[in-house]
Every structure is written in structure tokens, then in C-alpha cells.
Amino acid sequence: MDMKSLYLLIALSPLAGAIIAGLFGWAIGRRAAHVVTIAGVAVSAVLSLKVLYGFLNGGAVFNETVYTWLTVGGMEFSVGFLVDSLTALMLVVVTSVSLMVHIYTIGYMSEDPGYQRFFSYISLFTFSMLMLVMSNNFVQLFFGWEAVGLVSYLLIGFWFKRPTATYANLKAFLVNRVGDFGFLLGIGLVLAHFGGSLNYADVFAALPQVKDQTIQIIPGVDWSLMTVTCILLFVGAMGKSAQFPLHVWLPDSMEGPTPISALIHAATMVTAGIFMVSRMSPMFELSDTALNFVMITGSITALFMGFLGIVQNDIKRVVAYSTLSQLGYMTVALGASAYSVAMFHVMTHAFFKALLFLAAGSVIIGMHHEQDMRKMGGLRKYMPITWITSLLGSLALIGTPFFSGFYSKDSIILAVEHSNLAASGFATFAVLAGVFVTAFYSFRMYFLVFHGKERWMDAAHPASHHGDHADEEPDHDHHHGLGPNDKPHESPWVVTLPLVLLAIPSVIIGYFAVGPLVGGDFFNGVIFTNLAAHPGLAAVMPHAEHAFEMGMHAFVTLPFWLALAGVVTAWVFYMKAPQIPAAIKKTFAPVNTLLENKYYLDEIYFAVFAKGSRALGTFFWKICDMLLIDGLIVNGSAKLVGSFSRVVRRLQTGFIYSYATTMIVGVLALITIWFSQLIFG
């Protein structure tokens, strides 16, 4: 098989499964639908591993056009594949996590009437992401970009009979349109100023000629072309990768089924922005202003979204805000020009975040679809596999030495500490404070769910007291939970097997990958960093070459002690002295209210944009359209003609004497005018 055929097979196998399950699922049945979609993703996963293995052994870069679908003048719009080490890494991450999610879905969605439709959607989602990461031009990148947005809309609103689900998918769609508008403007600047081509290779080749070029957005004010282009492209990444302030859609995406939450948050849609900026590293390296903008955005997201995770009681929303915070870490690494470190964290995060989401789904299954952590507790003895895999995922998330998350997260912190950008001071504080916050909310969730009093018994018997968390009022939502005679139970093997398989890389892959991905030459010629101008990555590379020493050294570093402090604080607050968080909540009630209302950003957006746009529309409708256009111009001119016609019509009497009188009066008027001109000449 030649390389073009190989890459086509990787890209199209999930699409074939999606088409068969989507169009013919009603005929082939549930079992055949999941078999054909899993087979398609499995083919892509196996072949992706083969591609990655090739690049680990010096494989050649593939960059060819597969099909040209439009030619305008000298410009071509085509489907083309660029497969290099960056693409190979993303292929493995996307297909392997997607395969685990597909298998998991068999158990999680077993009773859902939309079973075949769901499998079709998640396979289509995988295809869209593969087209995005394999593209060699901006047009195909934008196609994949919009395709993952469209399918995410379908998946978040999969349970479309729920008003909350339809609200969430519409919110995700609209917020991403804001980011995509900026992204499209950035692509437009590339087309206009970078040699008239949208192929990556041509655009990068044109950089020396345009790096100092300026444009005038406001007449008389010069702007750096590179800065404006990079910031606009990054606005697209802010939407897809849920960066502040375009992050508001991601927590609400929890309204979709848990498998798609794992797929969106771990390996597909939200990582698209990080991948895109890494792919465009030759451009971003030419603008310190853009890099500072990226770093500040990531810092705010990493810290302030982590704060929101502390006050969440829905188990899936805690993991969702964790995703937001970790995406902030990746973005900070991009701002520090440590693109390889950001992609390394994309990979490690994909495994342990998918693990945590699927483990949360397993808990929801065991708790009969209860999601409120205040109605859980003591599940360790009922769900041992879910418990141990959740613990491993949580340890990876908080950056425990030798776990995968440690190597990528500590590399980000080290790179930011050695960055020379103006924003690096605030970014360093944010990522260090975020270590404590992440450890605290992660183990708050862990302790509330798996340890302590079995509060689900209180929930099943409302007459009993609320135990250790009587200070908190539970949410009364659509989840029914356990009945009085029910007990939690471990999930079936199709659910627990993906947990075990994801737990393995969550623990070990960082140790083996940090050397080649960060300290080695895996990304040489693919990701470009000016180490002289941006020394953050240079500070990380010597440490990354010695994974064991890096892990041992961690025990004397500040991030380790901050993470440990977060875990201990969570244990004290929720296992030993639950009155402390209740007292803190009461003392700092305004802060707690601010966090519970998510900084009131939804309300601000609704007031400014939703109500504002409606008010603007009402103004244009009633004033501009009805009053000025319809009332004055259209109807007004008609009324003027009608009034003039009524006056003229009165002169047409049909009597000869009337016309004779008019003629005499006219002649007398002309004679009068003539005599006036003679006399006063």
C-alpha cells in the first residue's frame, strides 16, 4: 500500500462507519452499528500507530494534494495531507481515545433509543478531527474546524428533548461562531498578504517577505501584519479550545452523554486550537505581542477556571472545569514558545482526562444516573475498578511525580518561569497557584465520591439527615439516583475495560515520551522555536532528557508541595472537618456566590450581546425599517403622489367653461409677467 492510500484509509475508515450506522442503522440493528463504527476507528488507530512508529524511526514527511476541487485564477482549493511527526502524534491520540470511547459507549448507551445515531455521530466526529489534523492547507483546516463544530452541536444536543441540552448545543454553536469569525478573518489576511496561496508550505515560505509588513485597520495607524494575523487565528483557537472569555460553552456541553464529553474534552475539539497554533509556530514566533496575548489568555483560563471547579457539585462539571484549566496550561506553554511541551501535555492530558470522564460516567451508571457528589460517598468498596482507575487519573492530573501529567505539567511551569515575555510573571503565578487549586478540587471530588459516609443512603431515604454535608443544599435535577433498596454497583466490562486501558498510559506514557517529544528531535523541522529570542523551551530540554532524575528532583520543587498541600487540604476539609468548608462558605459568601454564578459571564453576555443585539434589531426594525423606509420613503412617496393626484384631479372637471376660464387666467398671468419685465426690465 502506498502512503497516499494509507492516509486515505486512516481518514475515511471512520467516515465509512458513520455513513453505514447513520443511514442504515435502522436496517442493520444495534450490534452491527457499533461493530462497523468500532471497526472503522480501530483500523485508523492501528494504522496511526504504524505511522507514529515510522516517525520514531526517521520516517519521511508526506505533503501532497489528494484532490483539487476548485481553481480560481492561479489559486487552488484542494484536499491535501501533511503527515509529519506532529500529525502522527495527533492521529494516535485522536484514534486511540476515540476507540476507547466507542467501546465504552456500548455499555453506557445500551438502553438509549438513539444508539445507532450516537455511534454514527462519534465516528463522524473522529473523521472530522482527522481531516483537521491531516490538512496541508487552510481551506481543509477550516473544513475540519467547522465539521467538528457541527458534529459537537449534534452530540451536545443528542438528547434533544431536554431543553437544557438544546440550550447547551446552541450556546456552543454560537460561541464558536464568534471564534470562527476571527479565525476566518485571519485566513483572509493570509490569503491577501502571504503570496495568494493557502497551502502551509507556501505561507511559511513567504514569511521572510511579510514579517515586517504593516497594515492599516484604522486609517493612519499602522499595525503589524504578523501580530494581527496571529491574534485573529488565535481567536479561533479561543473558541475551539475554550479559552477565556469564549470558554462559556464548554461546561454546558456536559448536557451531552458522557462518552462525547470525554471525546470532546480529551482528544478532539478542544485540542484543535492547541494543534493549530503549534502548526502555525513559524508565524507566532515572529510576533511577541501575539505570544503575550496568548500567554495572558491561557493564564487567566488556567487559574480562574480552576477556581470554578472548587464549587461544583456535579461530578461531570468538576472534570469539565478541570479541562478548561488544563487547556489554559497548554495555552500558556504556547505563549512561552514551548509548542512541543504544549503538544506533549495535549497527549498526556488526552489519556488521563478521558479516563476521568469515563470513570465519572461509570460512577453515574453505578449510581443509577445520579451526578450530584453530595449524594455519593463510600463507593470504593462497591466499584473497585472505577475507584482505582479514578485515583490513578487524579494523580496524573495533579502532576504526581512519575505520572504522565507530572512530566508535561512541570515542563510547562519550567518553560514559563524561564520565559522572557512581559506576561511571564503573571503566568508563572497563575500556573503555580493552579497546581494547588487543581489538587484541591480533584481530590475534593475523589474523597466525596469514593470515601467517607455513604450519603447515597440518605438521598434514598429523604427522612434521614444529610450527614457530613448538611450545610449544602442538593440540586434537584432530572437525575433520579438510587432507590431505597438499591446499592451502587460496578459497571459492565465494556465500561471498565476502557478505564483500565486508559489508566496505563495515564501512568507511564509521560516517562517514556518526555525525552523524544520535549528533549529530543521528534518535532525537528515541524515545530519552530527561536530559542535565542524565547528561551523557555531551552530551559526544559536538559531536564526532559533524563526522565527518572526529573521525577526524583520533583520532590524538592514547589509544584510538588503545592499539589500535596491541595490534597491534604481536601482531605481535612471533606473527610475530617466538613464544618470548615461550611464556615468558609458562610464567611466568604459574596466570593462563593460569584464562583457559583461563574463570574456572571453568562448574564453579562446575555445582557450585552443577546439583549443588546435584540435591542439593535428592534431599532433597525421599528425606526429604520418601519418608520424611515416603509413609513417615509416607500409609503411616504406613495402618499405624496396620491395627495398631488387628488389636487390635480380636481382641475379635470369636464366642463368647457372651466377650461376656458383657466386658459384666460393663464393668458392674463403671462401678460402680467411680460409687462412687469418691460417696466422693471
Side-chain angles (χ1 to χ4, degrees):
M1 181 186 299
D2 64 345
M3 298 308 294
K4 182 185 291 188
S5 300
L6 173 67
Y7 298 136
L8 280 171
L9 189 57
I10 291 174
L12 298 180
S13 293
L15 177 62
I19 292 173
I20 294 172
L23 297 182
F24 307 105
W26 60 273
I28 63 177
R30 296 161 70 93
R31 181 182 179 86
H34 75 237
V35 167
V36 70
T37 51
I38 290 175
V41 175
V43 168
S44 293
V46 172
L47 295 179
S48 297
L49 286 171
K50 178 182 177 181
V51 172
L52 179 62
Y53 179 79
F55 280 103
L56 289 171
N57 291 277
V61 174
F62 179 90
N63 186 9
E64 290 185 16
T65 297
V66 176
Y67 174 70
T68 299
W69 54 274
L70 178 65
T71 301
V72 180
M75 185 173 59
E76 292 184 348
F77 294 88
S78 60
V79 175
F81 292 153
L82 170 58
V83 182
D84 51 22
S85 54
L86 177 60
T87 307
L89 178 67
M90 286 299 296
L91 288 178
V92 171
V93 170
V94 171
T95 57
S96 58
V97 172
S98 179
L99 179 60
M100 294 299 102
V101 170
H102 275 69
I103 296 172
Y104 178 94
T105 300
I106 298 174
Y108 193 88
M109 302 291 287
S110 60
E111 299 177 2
D112 197 281
Y115 189 84
Q116 294 97 314
R117 177 165 57 94
F118 188 81
F119 272 99
S120 176
Y121 285 173
I122 57 176
S123 284
L124 187 60
F125 200 46
T126 306
F127 161 74
S128 302
M129 190 65 186
L130 292 178
M131 290 297 289
L132 188 155
V133 301
M134 295 174 73
S135 63
N136 72 347
N137 62 84
F138 280 96
V139 175
Q140 185 176 329
L141 174 69
F142 191 70
F143 163 77
W145 200 266
E146 293 302 302
V148 295
L150 171 62
V151 185
S152 70
Y153 169 84
L154 297 173
L155 283 163
I156 294 169
F158 181 79
W159 288 319
F160 54 85
K161 293 184 180 179
R162 288 184 188 171
T164 53
T166 56
Y167 171 81
N169 71 349
L170 183 60
K171 184 178 182 180
F173 194 79
L174 292 176
V175 171
N176 273 278
R177 296 293 69 73
V178 176
D180 293 352
F181 180 66
F183 189 52
L184 194 58
L185 289 176
I187 294 175
L189 283 179
V190 170
L191 179 61
H193 296 279
F194 288 71
S197 173
L198 290 174
N199 285 337
Y200 299 156
D202 296 334
V203 171
F204 296 157
L207 290 178
Q209 287 74 46
V210 300
K211 64 178 182 178
D212 298 319
Q213 187 174 332
T214 60
I215 57 175
Q216 290 190 356
I217 302 174
I218 302 173
V221 181
D222 290 332
W223 298 69
S224 165
L225 172 64
M226 291 307 309
T227 296
V228 174
T229 304
C230 289
I231 288 178
L232 286 173
L233 291 175
F234 180 68
V235 168
M238 289 170 64
K240 279 289 178 289
S241 294
Q243 296 298 290
F244 177 88
L246 300 182
H247 66 279
V248 292
W249 66 271
L250 195 62
D252 289 335
S253 70
M254 295 300 96
E255 288 296 330
T258 296
I260 195 53
S261 300
L263 197 55
I264 289 178
H265 288 237
T268 53
M269 186 170 171
V270 297
T271 62
I274 311 300
F275 166 81
M276 184 273 293
V277 176
S278 298
R279 176 63 80 196
M280 302 303 147
S281 58
M283 299 173 64
F284 279 83
E285 282 300 280
L286 298 175
S287 174
D288 281 4
T289 303
L291 290 174
N292 274 292
F293 180 76
V294 171
M295 185 178 285
I296 286 290
T297 303
S299 303
I300 295 172
T301 306
L303 182 59
F304 289 92
M305 296 307 106
F307 287 148
L308 297 182
I310 295 174
V311 299
Q312 300 301 311
N313 296 306
D314 185 310
I315 186 172
K316 286 175 64 177
R317 286 185 179 265
V318 175
V319 187
Y321 280 107
S322 166
T323 298
L324 282 171
S325 181
Q326 296 308 303
L327 288 167
Y329 274 86
M330 299 172 201
T331 304
V332 168
L334 296 175
S337 294
Y339 308 98
S340 58
V341 176
M343 291 307 304
F344 180 40
H345 197 49
V346 165
M347 181 193 68
T348 60
H349 175 264
F351 293 114
F352 63 71
K353 187 52 57 70
L355 170 60
L356 287 171
F357 263 114
L358 298 186
S362 179
V363 169
I364 293 169
I365 293 173
M367 290 293 297
H368 291 217
H369 300 282
E370 177 60 67
Q371 295 184 200
D372 193 332
M373 297 187 300
R374 295 166 297 183
K375 300 176 184 178
M376 299 180 187
L379 298 186
R380 180 180 61 172
K381 65 180 180 180
Y382 300 100
M383 309 181 71
I385 300 176
T386 303
W387 161 66
I388 191 64
T389 52
S390 294
L391 176 59
L392 294 175
S394 298
L395 291 172
L397 171 62
I398 69 172
T400 306
F402 296 104
F403 281 70
S404 62
F406 155 74
Y407 289 101
S408 55
K409 201 170 182 179
D410 272 38
S411 295
I412 293 173
I413 295 171
L414 188 60
V416 175
E417 288 176 341
H418 288 82
S419 173
N420 57 4
L421 293 179
S424 61
F426 172 68
T428 300
F429 166 76
V431 294
L432 284 173
V435 172
F436 174 84
V437 173
T438 301
F440 179 77
Y441 68 66
S442 297
F443 274 82
R444 171 182 178 265
M445 176 180 70
Y446 171 76
F447 289 131
L448 286 177
V449 172
F450 294 105
H451 293 271
K453 179 180 174 58
E454 296 176 351
R455 294 179 303 280
W456 46 270
M457 297 182 65
D458 297 337
H461 300 81
S464 60
H465 62 85
H466 287 292
D468 295 338
H469 301 274
D471 62 291
E472 299 180 275
E473 286 296 321
D475 297 323
H476 300 286
D477 55 19
H478 55 264
H479 306 295
H480 51 78
L482 297 169
N485 299 317
D486 295 329
K487 285 187 177 182
H489 58 83
E490 186 60 276
S491 301
W493 72 267
V494 290
V495 171
T496 55
L497 177 61
L499 298 183
V500 174
L501 294 178
L502 287 168
I504 296 171
S506 297
V507 175
I508 68 172
I509 200 168
Y511 182 90
F512 294 104
V514 65
L517 266 61
V518 178
D521 57 359
F522 183 74
F523 290 122
N524 277 5
V526 178
I527 292 177
F528 297 89
T529 301
N530 186 343
L531 295 177
H534 306 123
L537 180 61
V540 180
M541 294 174 69
H543 298 274
E545 294 172 357
H546 307 284
F548 182 78
E549 289 81 356
M550 186 177 179
M552 293 301 297
H553 177 68
F555 292 103
V556 297
T557 61
L558 182 59
F560 170 76
W561 292 103
L562 287 171
L564 182 61
V567 174
V568 172
T569 304
W571 178 74
V572 171
F573 279 18
Y574 295 97
M575 290 293 98
K576 293 299 179 183
Q579 70 274 10
I580 296 178
I584 293 174
K585 179 179 178 180
K586 184 177 181 180
T587 304
F588 298 97
V591 176
N592 183 76
T593 302
L594 180 67
L595 295 177
E596 287 185 342
N597 287 279
K598 300 170 287 188
Y599 308 118
Y600 292 100
L601 285 176
D602 284 342
E603 288 77 7
I604 292 172
Y605 289 162
F606 182 76
V608 174
F609 295 105
K611 285 189 174 180
S613 60
R614 288 183 62 185
L616 184 63
T618 301
F619 170 78
F620 282 123
W621 167 41
K622 291 191 174 181
I623 304 299
C624 297
D625 190 17
M626 294 182 65
L627 182 62
L628 295 179
I629 296 175
D630 287 346
L632 185 60
I633 298 175
V634 178
N635 295 332
S637 60
K639 288 179 180 178
L640 179 63
V641 171
S643 299
F644 182 74
S645 300
R646 283 193 294 271
V647 173
V648 173
R649 187 170 62 244
R650 292 180 182 275
L651 300 177
Q652 305 300 319
T653 63
F655 297 108
I656 294 177
Y657 64 81
S658 296
Y659 299 146
T661 303
T662 302
M663 291 173 64
I664 293 170
V665 171
V667 170
L668 289 175
L670 290 173
I671 293 171
T672 303
I673 294 171
W674 180 65
F675 271 109
S676 298
Q677 289 178 342
L678 286 176
I679 296 171
F680 301 105

